[in-house]
Amino acid sequence: MRSVIDIPDLSLDELKELIDVAMDIIANPQKYAEACHGKKLATLFFEPSTRTRMSFEAAMYELGGNVISVTGAGTSSAAKGESMADTAKTVSCYADIIAVRHPKEGSAYVMAQNATIPVINGGDGGHSHPTQTLADLLTIYREKGRFEGLTIGLCGDLKFGRTVHSLIQAMSRYNGNKFVLISPEELKVPSYVKKDVLQQRGIPYEQTTDLEGAMPQLDILYMTRVQRERFFNEEDYLRLKDSYILNMEKLKNAKPDLAILHPLPRVNEISVAVDNDPRACYFKQVLNGKYMRMALILKLLKEAQNEH
Amino acid sequence: MNIDSIHNGIVIDHITAGKGMKLYELLGLDKLDCSVAIIKNVHSGKLGKKDIIKIDADIPVDVDVIGFVDPGATVNIIKDEKLSEKRNIEMPNRLVNVIKCKNPRCITSTEQELDHIFKLTDRANNVYRCLYCETKAN
């Protein structure tokens, strides 16, 4: 059964297909209003989430389908010690497709291995969050009209930020892109991402701690939050959490058509004043996430139907 | 230093010096009743120094484990004090329940029934990663 656990699970052709479907959904929402009539999405969220769960649920409702859900490990059989494998087999009896979020890395893979219906990874700890990357890609496409020849700045927590690793992986598959990695020393992109993705594919990149210095060359600035839940040590979190705060002053040398993205939630790393700047795209990104989840649900349900 | 030759058994030779003990542990040789010798830092024309393991019994040896720890090692099967077979060692594409993932955030840390599986992701540099969380094996 086809599932999507990580961005490389989707080929470039499939990404294009998802973008095309999402664009068609935006243009003709009525055409899709009953596309998933009679189908059920199970949202299994074992970790706090607002936008990802709501986005999946809104996506399914807008496709004319229904949603059944579990939120929080404490309210599910996981609290009684049920394994991921058993949960996957059980939920497969109730629903047609699963969206899962779980704090443990690799959890979505285990669920996909045991489910008899498609599984979409809605975030497995610090490992992967492919539908956020789909939201990022549609935003880049709608703002820039292309995926090639862009200088992409990634700023903040580049070590634990799973969306950062996925976006690097996704955008390095297109020609002519360059990355500027902006972070404190302690939160630099892990060496395996640089080695296995950037260096292996010969993608140009630079590392810096200076956001303002990097600003003039950027076409896209992807801001991230320093995530408390990824630290074992509270002291380290407090020391690093305010490393980069984007405000209007820091944007003064930015390109007029810069696109500022952020996977949200924001704490204080983007000043509220920036929200009114036309270059701020992070709330458009939220909406784009819903469209891409709609496109992905449609694709996986169609493929599952063809398998039967 | 003299170690008796073996009648029927296995000699794991050309082990990179220092890796003999790791192989001994991962192959579970501590659980055997027969004689097992680990000889460390033996002079070697090819390697300078090497480790050797001699097992005085014809037991099945997991060549995947040897391929993971030290793909340059050789396995010689001894019968009636003579070399009867020389096995080539290759790096396995998958390792199942040989080592455990050390990432405390990995799903294998809580789901006890899961096999610990690692896949070979970089043959040139002998890099294995956890199938679930992609953490590099040490």
Side-chain angles (χ1 to χ4, degrees):
Chain A
M1 184 58 60
R2 179 76 189 278
S3 290
V4 172
I5 306 305
D6 208 348
I7 274 293
D9 293 345
L10 295 162
S11 68
L12 284 183
D13 285 345
E14 287 177 315
L15 286 176
K16 185 177 182 311
E17 175 197 331
L18 290 172
I19 296 273
D20 289 346
V21 172
M23 293 298 283
D24 196 44
I25 291 170
I26 294 164
N28 308 293
Q30 279 310 315
K31 190 171 138 190
Y32 295 88
E34 294 296 322
C36 288
H37 178 74
K39 299 288 184 189
K40 289 192 288 291
L41 165 75
T43 52
L44 311 179
F45 278 62
F46 299 97
E47 190 180 53
S49 161
T50 307
R51 77 210 75 250
T52 305
R53 182 171 61 83
M54 290 183 72
S55 178
F56 270 112
E57 295 183 356
M60 193 58 173
Y61 284 126
E62 289 191 26
L63 290 167
N66 288 306
V67 176
I68 51 177
S69 66
V70 169
T71 52
T75 58
S76 73
S77 288
K80 300 175 192 165
E82 185 176 58
S83 68
M84 289 291 289
D86 285 0
T87 303
K89 288 170 191 161
T90 304
V91 175
S92 296
C93 299
Y94 300 140
D96 299 287
I97 186 165
I98 294 171
V100 60
R101 168 169 288 193
H102 193 283
K104 289 291 181 182
E105 299 172 12
S107 51
Y109 174 80
V110 174
M111 185 146 281
Q113 289 296 302
N114 291 280
T116 55
I117 57 176
V119 173
I120 303 173
N121 184 5
D124 59 338
H127 177 232
S128 183
H129 190 2
T131 60
Q132 178 61 53
T133 307
L134 294 180
D136 302 342
L137 290 177
L138 182 60
T139 308
I140 291 170
Y141 184 76
R142 293 185 77 186
E143 297 303 316
K144 295 289 167 192
R146 67 187 196 278
F147 291 124
E148 296 178 341
L150 297 166
T151 299
I152 304 152
L154 299 135
C155 179
D157 175 4
L158 308 189
K159 182 180 180 182
F160 296 112
R162 58 190 170 190
T163 58
V164 167
H165 305 163
S166 286
L167 188 62
I168 291 174
Q169 210 163 35
M171 291 303 287
S172 64
R173 293 159 87 184
Y174 299 97
N175 293 327
N177 289 330
K178 177 189 169 185
F179 292 93
V180 183
L181 310 171
I182 309 150
S183 71
E185 282 296 322
E186 297 89 335
L187 295 175
K188 281 161 81 172
V189 169
S191 57
Y192 73 87
V193 175
K194 284 182 277 188
K195 198 164 163 256
D196 296 353
V197 181
L198 297 172
Q199 289 167 12
Q200 201 178 62
R201 296 178 189 170
I203 311 285
Y205 70 94
E206 59 184 79
Q207 295 191 101
T208 177
T209 54
D210 180 11
L211 172 59
E212 279 175 280
M215 193 68 83
Q217 62 175 313
L218 303 181
D219 298 306
I220 292 161
L221 173 59
Y222 196 89
M223 294 295 295
T224 62
R225 171 175 63 101
V226 175
Q227 301 174 84
R228 182 191 291 261
E229 61 269 32
R230 303 288 169 233
F231 285 82
F232 285 125
N233 182 339
E234 180 76 2
E235 264 177 41
D236 286 345
Y237 166 71
L238 293 173
R239 185 166 53 82
L240 294 168
K241 75 181 176 66
D242 293 333
S243 297
Y244 295 100
I245 296 173
L246 182 67
N247 53 29
M248 292 308 293
E249 174 65 19
K250 286 187 180 142
L251 279 170
K252 69 176 188 289
N253 292 321
K255 287 184 180 175
D257 63 344
L258 171 74
I260 305 165
L261 277 67
H262 189 303
L264 302 180
R266 159 179 61 178
V267 179
N268 61 349
E269 59 278 7
I270 300 179
S271 158
V272 175
V274 176
D275 295 0
N276 297 323
D277 191 291
R279 293 171 288 190
C281 300
Y282 28 94
F283 290 110
K284 293 182 197 170
Q285 209 175 336
V286 176
L287 187 58
N288 289 332
K290 183 188 71 177
Y291 295 131
M292 285 303 264
R293 289 181 180 102
M294 289 170 79
L296 184 60
I297 289 168
L298 273 173
K299 177 180 170 58
L300 294 182
L301 283 176
K302 194 173 163 190
E303 286 184 20
Q305 203 166 2
N306 290 341
E307 259 185 56
H308 282 299
Chain B
M1 183 183 178
N2 290 324
I3 304 281
D4 289 343
S5 61
I6 52 180
H7 291 279
N8 292 299
I10 294 156
V11 176
I12 308 172
D13 200 356
H14 302 107
I15 304 167
T16 305
K19 290 191 172 178
M21 275 309 290
K22 188 173 182 186
L23 259 185
Y24 177 82
E25 285 163 15
L26 289 179
L27 287 170
L29 302 182
D30 54 327
K31 297 176 187 78
L32 296 178
D33 285 336
C34 63
S35 300
V36 178
I38 306 175
I39 316 164
K40 292 178 61 114
N41 299 325
V42 180
H43 174 73
S44 161
K46 199 165 76 176
L47 302 171
K49 280 196 292 186
K50 66 178 181 178
D51 292 355
I52 300 173
I53 295 176
K54 292 187 172 189
I55 306 163
D56 195 13
D58 189 9
I59 55 148
V61 170
D62 189 342
V63 288
D64 283 355
V65 173
I66 303 171
F68 164 64
V69 175
D70 195 3
T74 55
V75 175
N76 302 316
I77 312 295
I78 309 295
K79 282 196 176 144
D80 299 327
E81 294 192 13
K82 286 180 183 161
L83 177 66
S84 77
E85 188 188 341
K86 202 167 190 135
R87 285 190 196 154
N88 289 329
I89 301 298
E90 284 183 4
M91 283 155 69
N93 289 323
R94 277 162 77 94
L95 274 179
V96 182
N97 293 330
V98 174
I99 49 169
K100 291 194 166 186
C101 183
K102 290 184 178 164
N103 174 10
R105 300 179 181 90
C106 180
I107 188 69
T108 55
S109 69
T110 49
E111 298 275 315
Q112 302 300 323
E113 82 288 356
L114 286 177
D115 285 331
H116 285 253
I117 304 173
F118 283 77
K119 59 185 176 183
L120 179 62
T121 57
D122 182 354
R123 189 173 285 276
N125 295 301
N126 199 3
V127 175
Y128 283 83
R129 290 192 182 279
C130 174
L131 180 72
Y132 306 97
C133 70
E134 298 184 273
T135 296
K136 192 174 166 183
N138 291 325

